Amino acid sequence: MKFTTVFFAALAATLAQACDHCPHPGNFPGNVYGYLTTTPNSCDVTVGPDDIVASLPASFWVPRDESPCDEPISVTLTSSGKTVTAIVVNSDPNLSNDDIGLNTAGLAALAADSDPNHGSGPAVWTFL
């Protein structure tokens, strides 16, 4: 099982094309958690009810001129191998390292069975 997890993480990192023109280039391994839709949209990005949105750790806003607000990211969940594109709408001081939060639509899209309760866990993500 551990080999499978490592294999899929390496595969996801290889397949995800890291952005080389954005302020935060590279692939980021972390965990995906649920993004509470009641959390303020600190980027003031206009999104629709069906949009997939993400919250990133506050460290991605340092320095301030490198804000990832409204930037698209690609997220691949290690356990399912599924990938989703999300728009960054929030800075979350409760997230650490390269962990991210996705709304319910994002979690459902990543889950092997489309159940948002199964769409969290280790993942690799990158800016597009």
Side-chain angles (χ1 to χ4, degrees):
M1 179 69 175
K2 187 174 184 177
F3 172 76
T4 304
T5 301
V6 171
F7 172 77
F8 279 117
L11 179 63
T14 302
L15 294 177
Q17 296 298 314
C19 171
D20 59 4
H21 63 279
C22 57
H24 303 282
N27 293 309
F28 304 97
N31 289 298
V32 175
Y33 298 102
Y35 169 78
L36 300 175
T37 53
T38 57
T39 303
N41 175 338
S42 63
C43 292
D44 291 325
V45 175
T46 303
V47 293
D50 297 325
D51 290 336
I52 296 176
V53 298
S55 185
L56 300 183
S59 62
F60 282 90
W61 274 258
V62 177
R64 197 161 184 59
D65 65 340
E66 294 183 0
S67 167
C69 285
D70 204 24
E71 292 287 331
I73 62 171
S74 175
V75 183
T76 302
L77 187 65
T78 304
S79 63
S80 70
K82 292 178 110 180
T83 300
V84 68
T85 299
I87 300 298
V88 176
V89 298
N90 193 47
S91 168
D92 187 339
N94 297 315
L95 292 171
S96 60
N97 301 320
D98 295 331
D99 294 343
I100 63 171
L102 290 178
N103 64 347
T104 303
L107 295 175
L110 287 178
D113 60 359
S114 299
D115 181 344
N117 293 315
H118 302 146
S120 59
V124 176
W125 63 274
T126 189
F127 289 95
L128 297 175

